[in-house]
């Protein structure tokens, strides 16, 4: 085991000689380098602090965690220091590079099972250590599994790791939606009850699939769609035809990790005892099987970069869109999504017109929906075994959405309008000068058309073929385009860029091809819609008496508690209202849409916070507002100066409690390390 204080790495840039680039992430570039005084090859991760000004907290956390950990399967920083506007993190050089890079270079279809077992066992040991010490890694993926030239495996990148001893609230507010959607556990996406170390077990399961296939499930889709698919579909797994080559124990391991209910997922300790790991071999085996014959890391990285640049040029020619898309980012090996709302909206525009054939995971998911009952969103009893799975999934989803429509008309007094909010999922306001959408004025027909359109956005399981799409239902959808276009986040991509060719096959790396041309870019400022809604209370508002705007949701003044309004007769048991209108609705049909609303709301909230921060920065001062925490600006404005003062005190107290908890954790780790050192010293004294 390495010892933290064996060598003293200098903390001065002039003591290092940077060689070639060996990796690139969202926030950093990684170089091979020489530590001159120690004559040792190291890796240096260079972070541009100016570019990361939003996430200094995250960087601080990463460096802190990296320097405190002490486990052979975790990449520990030798030291770190600031130089100019960069932060340099000096770490052991892992000459094999990441598993993602190895797969991209030599194993595009994934690794063999003994290799996977060996890699995963080492990752699991790292997770066991982290979890036992109160850390959630939160970014477990092949790109963060590094291999040394001798086959040693280390889990890297603590950029998003969090301390489990933080209170749930701090974790949520500070780190909303960090991580990568493909690997992200459903509970992390939902953000309903927080999450714990079991989120890593989900990511671990997804990583297992990534190592088995060469890419993560749903990796061809943009983030918004990945979110929806993860929440709505049955968990991905290894029970598809192409996975015949894998053992039953591997399939069981993956299935155990990819259970939607985190409580039902095993701990890392339990997983480590899984019989699948009987297939694991030695480091040496890894080195021989996955590293032999590979070019040096720098060279591989350069080749990959050139390929990616070519691909980017090709895609640019196709799409002419700099914002595009998750897949390009994935190809570039960059995958830490920041869930920028505008990105998501432009991607949602693409999803709407996505007619792609179902891929393996989709079909798989549909099939499993019959088998499993833990599917979030679609109830298993809806699905008849006789019907082909694709159409089942499609009709289920559409039923769900029309049920949603029923729900809205039935819940006249329900303050959160699911249908309206769902429309809002694809609404980003409009450019200056255009007539704004008026929800009051949306006719029944338009609503249905919108829903039809939205359902297409969400029917990733449907995989309806070209013929079906060109039929009746498709033409009705087409009619809708000019009507509802103004509510949509129109694609930024020019019409001419869309290939009429339908993309086919299992090529998960293909982009969904939008089918309908988009005439203009409707990406408008989010604020516009927010302002409009606030200034022009809709008819529902007046019918509900005093209504307070809370973010996008309206809450009656009768009860402003987070639990919900008391004058709303929403019945959670039936998922509907106890209003006189009978409600034909299963909660499971509405759940996906409500989850979508919830996500959108959260993301919009994030966007508003960002905008407020930006405004605060650009104006330099915001008088009274600056006293109040940014988060609070989204709540009901405090009625008095005293109230504001108290709120600000509460925030300060929360902040210092958080800092104390962090400090305590740091001290705990230090104590443990000192204890270890002491024990070692005692042991060597005895000898
Ligand atoms: N110690 C190392 N030795 C060799 N290669 C490394 C090392 N650290 C990182 N890399 C390579 O650099 C890539 C990017 O590094 P890293 O993941 O730390 O950056 P990042 O900005 O945090 O990335 P992301 O957030 O996208 O995961 C890795 O995927 C890996 O291929």
């Amino acid at each position: 085991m390495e010892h933290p204080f064996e060598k003293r790495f200098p903390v001065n840039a002039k003591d290092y000689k940077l060689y070639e680039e060996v990796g690139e992430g969202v926030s950093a570039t990684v170089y091979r380098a020489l530590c001159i005084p120690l004559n040792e090859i190291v890796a240096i991760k260079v972070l541009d602090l100016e570019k990361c000004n939003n996430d200094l907290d995250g960087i601080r956390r990463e460096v802190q965690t990296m320097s405190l950990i002490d486990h052979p399967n975790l990449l520990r920083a030798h030291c770190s220091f600031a130089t100019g506007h960069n932060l340099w993190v000096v770490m052991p050089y892992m000459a094999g590079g990441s598993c993602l890079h190895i797969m991209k270079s030599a194993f595009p279809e994934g690794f063999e099972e003994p290799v996977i077992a060996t890699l995963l066992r080492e990752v699991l040991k790292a997770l066991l250590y982290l979890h036992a010490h109160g850390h959630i890694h939160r970014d477990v993926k092949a790109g963060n599994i590094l291999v040394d030239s001798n086959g040693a495996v280390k889990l890297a990148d603590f950029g998003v790791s969090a301390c489990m001893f933080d209170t749930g609230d701090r974790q949520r507010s500070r780190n909303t939606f960090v991580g990568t959607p493909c690997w992200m556990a459903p509970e992390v996406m939902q953000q309903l009850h927080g999450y714990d170390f079991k989120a890593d077990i989900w990511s671990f399961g997804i990583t297992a699939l990534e190592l088995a296939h060469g890419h993560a499930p749903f990796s061809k889709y943009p983030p918004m769609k990945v979110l929806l698919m993860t929440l709505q579909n049955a968990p991905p797994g290894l029970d598809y035809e192409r996975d015949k080559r894998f053992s039953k124990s591997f399939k069981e391991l993956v299935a155990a990790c990819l259970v939607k209910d985190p409580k039902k997922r095993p701990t890392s300790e339990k997983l480590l005892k899984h019989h699948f790991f009987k297939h694991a071999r030695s480091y040496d085996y890894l080195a021989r099987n996955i590293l032999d014959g590979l070019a040096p890391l720098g060279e591989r990285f350069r080749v990959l970069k050139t390929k990616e640049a070519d691909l980017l040029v090709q895609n640019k020619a196709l799409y002419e869109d700099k914002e595009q898309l998750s897949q390009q980012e994935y190809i570039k090996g960059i995958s830490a999504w920041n869930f920028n709302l505008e990105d998501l909206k432009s991607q949602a525009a693409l999803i709407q017109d996505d007619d792609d054939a179902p891929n393996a995971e989709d079909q798989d998911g549909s099939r499993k929906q019959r088998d499993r009952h833990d599917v979030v969103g679609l109830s298993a009893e809806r699905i008849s075994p006789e019907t082909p799975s694709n159409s089942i999934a499609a009709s289920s989803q559409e039923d769900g959405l029309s049920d949603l429509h029923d729900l809205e008309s039935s819940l006249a007094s329900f303050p959160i309008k699911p249908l309206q909010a769902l429309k809002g999922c694809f609404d980003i306001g409009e450019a200056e000068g255009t007539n704004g959408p008026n929800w009051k004025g949306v006719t029944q027909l338009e609503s249905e058309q919108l829903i039809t359109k939205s359902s297409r956005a969400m029917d990733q399981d449907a995989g309806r073929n070209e013929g079906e799409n060109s039929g009746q239902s498709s033409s009705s959808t087409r009619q809708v385009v000019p009507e509802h276009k103004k509510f949509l986040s129109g694609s930024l991509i020019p019409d001419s860029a869309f290939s009429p060719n339908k993309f086919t096959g299992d090529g998960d790396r293909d982009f969904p091809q939008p089918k309908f041309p988009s005439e203009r870019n409707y990406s408008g400022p989010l604020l516009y819609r927010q302002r409009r809604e606030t200034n022009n209370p809709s008819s529902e508002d007046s019918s509900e008496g005093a209504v307070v705007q809370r973010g996008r949701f309206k809450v009656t003044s009768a009860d402003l508690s987070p639990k919900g309004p008391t004058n709303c007769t929403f019945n959670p048991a039936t998922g509907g209202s106890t209003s006189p209108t009978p409600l034909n609705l299963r909660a499971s049909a509405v759940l996906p849409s409500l989850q979508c609303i919830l996500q959108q709301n959260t993301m919009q909230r994030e966007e508003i916070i960002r905008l407020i921060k930006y405004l605060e920065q650009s104006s330099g001062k915001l008088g009274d507002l600056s006293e109040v925490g940014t988060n609070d600006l989204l709540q009901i404005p405090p009625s008095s100066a005293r109230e504001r003062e108290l709120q600000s005190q509460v925030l300060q107290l929360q902040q210092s409690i958080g800092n104390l908890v962090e400090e305590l954790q740091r001290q705990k780790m230090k104590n443990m390390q000192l204890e270890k050192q002491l024990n070692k010293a005692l042991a060597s004294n005895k000898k």
Side-chain angles (χ1 to χ4, degrees):
M1 186 184 282
E2 293 155 356
H3 198 276
F5 305 110
E6 265 168 6
K7 282 178 198 160
R8 277 198 164 269
F9 280 82
V11 287
N12 202 324
K14 71 171 173 43
D15 288 322
Y16 296 90
K17 190 171 175 190
L18 290 189
Y19 296 134
E20 74 278 7
E21 206 177 311
V22 292
E24 214 170 56
V26 165
S27 51
T29 307
V30 180
Y31 297 89
R32 190 172 71 93
L34 175 71
C35 171
I36 302 164
L38 296 176
N39 192 29
E40 184 170 326
I41 292 292
V42 289
I44 299 185
K45 180 165 169 170
V46 178
L47 294 113
D48 187 337
L49 292 173
E50 280 180 357
K51 281 189 197 152
C52 313
N53 58 356
N54 276 338
D55 194 27
L56 285 178
D57 228 29
I59 294 166
R60 187 177 52 83
R61 212 163 45 242
E62 172 170 12
V63 172
Q64 220 168 52
T65 316
M66 271 186 94
S67 55
L68 290 175
I69 52 164
D70 182 16
H71 189 274
N73 295 114
L74 285 165
L75 189 71
R76 186 177 175 280
H78 291 315
C79 67
S80 61
F81 51 90
T83 169
H85 54 83
N86 290 322
L87 178 76
W88 285 24
V89 183
V90 182
M91 341 167 242
Y93 178 61
M94 303 292 285
S98 76
C99 285
L100 180 67
H101 276 173
I102 298 171
M103 287 193 295
K104 279 179 180 178
S105 304
F107 300 88
E109 304 295 317
F111 296 123
E112 290 301 317
E113 191 164 318
V115 169
I116 300 172
T118 315
L119 289 167
L120 288 180
R121 181 192 56 192
E122 301 308 301
V123 173
L124 212 43
K125 285 193 223 163
L127 285 181
L128 179 58
Y129 173 90
L130 279 178
H131 294 169
H133 288 83
H135 284 281
I136 311 167
H137 185 282
R138 300 202 299 179
D139 204 13
V140 178
K141 58 182 181 182
N144 284 334
I145 304 173
L146 302 182
V147 184
D148 207 350
S149 51
N150 63 354
V153 178
K154 287 182 198 282
L155 184 60
D157 202 351
F158 297 89
V160 290
S161 70
C163 178
M164 287 196 282
F165 302 114
D166 283 358
T167 68
D169 275 354
R170 276 187 74 235
Q171 278 187 28
R172 267 198 298 278
S173 61
R174 204 178 49 182
N175 298 309
T176 319
F177 266 133
V178 291
T180 8
C182 288
W183 292 263
M184 195 184 269
E187 70 273 17
V188 182
M189 296 176 175
Q190 276 173 317
Q191 310 205 344
L192 286 175
H193 311 292
Y195 55 89
D196 59 14
F197 64 95
K198 293 288 185 71
D200 279 344
I201 303 294
W202 176 278
S203 309
F204 178 82
I206 297 286
T207 305
L209 291 178
E210 188 184 11
L211 296 173
H213 296 148
H215 58 88
F218 312 141
S219 62
K220 78 169 181 172
Y221 294 110
M224 178 66 175
K225 195 160 181 173
V226 175
L227 291 176
L228 290 173
M229 290 173 96
T230 307
L231 290 168
Q232 293 178 339
N233 288 12
L238 275 179
D239 34 8
Y240 183 65
E241 189 67 17
R242 70 176 161 178
D243 299 317
K244 270 185 177 158
R245 66 186 171 115
F246 296 118
S247 71
K248 191 163 165 262
S249 65
F250 187 20
K251 290 170 188 173
E252 281 169 5
L253 175 103
V254 171
C257 297
L258 297 180
V259 174
K260 287 197 174 173
D261 181 354
K263 288 192 214 89
K264 291 183 183 154
R265 284 175 221 147
T267 59
S268 37
E269 193 181 0
K270 193 167 174 205
L271 267 183
L272 204 47
K273 293 177 189 144
H274 198 282
H275 48 116
F276 168 64
F277 293 110
K278 290 200 177 103
H279 299 277
R281 309 276 177 88
S282 62
Y283 283 178
D284 190 45
Y285 174 87
L286 266 193
R288 270 184 285 114
N289 279 273
I290 65 174
L291 298 181
D292 262 7
L294 285 186
L297 181 56
E299 208 173 297
R300 263 185 281 147
F301 180 71
R302 195 174 41 77
V303 172
L304 279 173
K305 240 184 138 173
T306 316
K307 269 194 208 161
E308 284 153 9
D310 290 348
L311 220 99
L312 239 113
V313 171
Q314 280 170 28
N315 285 330
K316 267 218 170 97
L318 266 179
Y319 297 100
E320 296 281 357
D321 181 6
K322 71 176 167 48
E323 283 180 291
Q324 121 121 277
L325 272 175
S326 67
Q327 186 51 31
Q328 270 178 4
E329 295 297 319
Y330 186 87
I331 290 165
K332 275 163 54 187
I334 295 175
S335 46
W337 286 99
N338 60 6
F339 287 89
N340 178 295
L341 189 68
E342 288 305 315
D343 287 348
L344 284 179
K345 280 182 287 196
S346 51
Q347 288 162 29
L350 293 180
I351 301 169
Q352 287 164 345
D353 292 324
D354 181 7
D355 285 322
D356 51 322
N359 73 351
E361 275 105 16
D362 303 345
Q363 289 174 339
D364 192 30
S366 305
R367 194 176 67 245
K368 271 184 287 180
Q369 277 166 0
R370 287 197 298 269
D371 304 332
R372 297 194 196 178
H373 290 248
D374 62 341
V375 181
V376 174
L378 293 174
S379 71
E381 82 253 26
R382 275 173 173 277
I383 299 164
S384 129
E386 282 82 45
T387 330
S389 60
N390 290 342
S391 53
I392 296 161
S395 63
S396 292
Q397 297 235 343
E398 282 180 356
D399 287 351
L401 285 155
S402 62
D403 282 351
L404 183 67
H405 186 259
D406 290 345
L407 174 67
E408 169 139 296
S409 44
S410 304
L411 299 182
S413 63
F414 190 48
I416 298 169
K417 300 292 177 195
L419 176 58
Q420 182 166 327
L422 188 68
K423 287 163 193 163
C425 287
F426 301 101
D427 179 11
I428 54 164
E430 66 272 46
E432 295 290 333
T434 39
N435 288 328
N438 178 357
W439 291 115
K440 259 196 298 187
V442 174
T443 63
Q444 175 78 6
L445 177 65
E446 281 168 330
S447 303
E448 279 161 7
Q449 287 168 335
L450 275 159
I451 282 296
T452 313
K453 187 70 176 169
S454 299
S455 73
R456 294 185 68 243
M458 299 166 86
D459 70 357
Q460 64 280 347
D461 282 347
R464 280 169 293 179
N465 63 31
E466 195 74 42
E468 281 169 298
N469 282 329
S470 57
Q472 183 65 34
S473 65
S474 168
S475 64
S476 74
T477 315
R478 275 171 207 272
Q479 282 168 9
V480 163
V481 173
E483 268 312 317
H484 82 280
K485 206 170 43 175
K486 56 180 177 278
F487 306 122
L488 296 174
S489 54
S491 165
L492 298 168
I493 303 165
D495 308 355
S496 56
F498 296 135
S499 156
N501 302 333
K502 188 171 157 54
F503 87 100
T504 54
D506 182 43
D508 287 22
R509 304 291 169 88
D510 297 335
F511 295 102
Q513 301 269 353
K515 188 169 179 179
F516 300 111
S518 166
E519 283 170 21
R520 49 161 301 178
N521 169 14
Y522 286 91
S523 300
L526 177 75
L527 275 176
Y528 184 86
R529 180 165 160 72
Q530 297 285 339
R531 197 179 56 227
R532 183 161 38 76
E533 281 191 347
T534 317
N535 293 344
N536 303 316
S538 67
S539 55
E540 299 108 47
D541 299 352
S542 53
S543 71
E544 284 155 19
V547 174
V548 178
Q549 185 87 20
R550 252 193 194 184
R552 284 186 62 108
F553 291 169
K554 297 175 187 70
V555 180
T556 59
S557 56
D559 182 1
L560 297 174
S561 80
K563 287 189 179 90
T566 48
N567 67 345
C568 159
T569 50
F570 184 74
N571 179 351
T574 59
S577 152
T578 54
S579 71
T581 320
L583 187 64
N584 262 338
L585 181 70
R586 269 180 291 267
S588 57
V590 187
L591 203 55
S593 313
L594 292 180
Q595 278 159 351
C596 165
I597 295 161
L598 183 69
Q599 282 160 26
Q600 286 291 321
N601 196 42
T602 311
M603 289 184 280
Q604 290 192 339
R605 190 172 176 278
E606 296 281 297
E607 181 72 357
I608 295 166
I609 292 173
R610 214 172 55 75
L611 285 168
I612 291 171
K613 275 189 184 152
Y614 174 76
L615 285 174
E616 279 176 349
Q617 275 167 10
S618 55
S619 69
K621 57 182 171 62
L622 254 183
D624 279 354
L625 287 179
S626 60
E627 287 173 35
V628 187
T630 304
N631 286 348
D632 296 309
L633 290 169
L634 301 176
Q635 314 268 322
I636 306 158
S639 56
S640 69
R642 176 77 189 134
E643 215 176 305
R644 279 202 299 273
E645 196 187 310
L646 284 173
Q647 273 193 354
S648 123
Q649 280 173 12
V650 168
L651 272 174
Q652 278 168 12
L653 282 172
Q654 279 174 345
Q655 183 73 37
S656 44
I657 291 169
N659 290 343
L660 285 172
V661 172
E662 257 178 30
E663 184 55 36
L664 188 68
Q665 180 59 14
R666 266 199 302 278
Q667 293 304 335
K668 269 187 187 169
M669 296 280 274
K670 274 188 186 153
N671 274 350
M672 281 177 54
Q673 285 181 348
L674 285 172
E675 245 180 69
K676 268 190 191 168
Q677 274 182 274
L678 204 65
N679 287 340
K680 269 200 172 171
L682 282 173
S684 58
N685 269 353
K686 274 184 193 164
K687 277 182 202 163

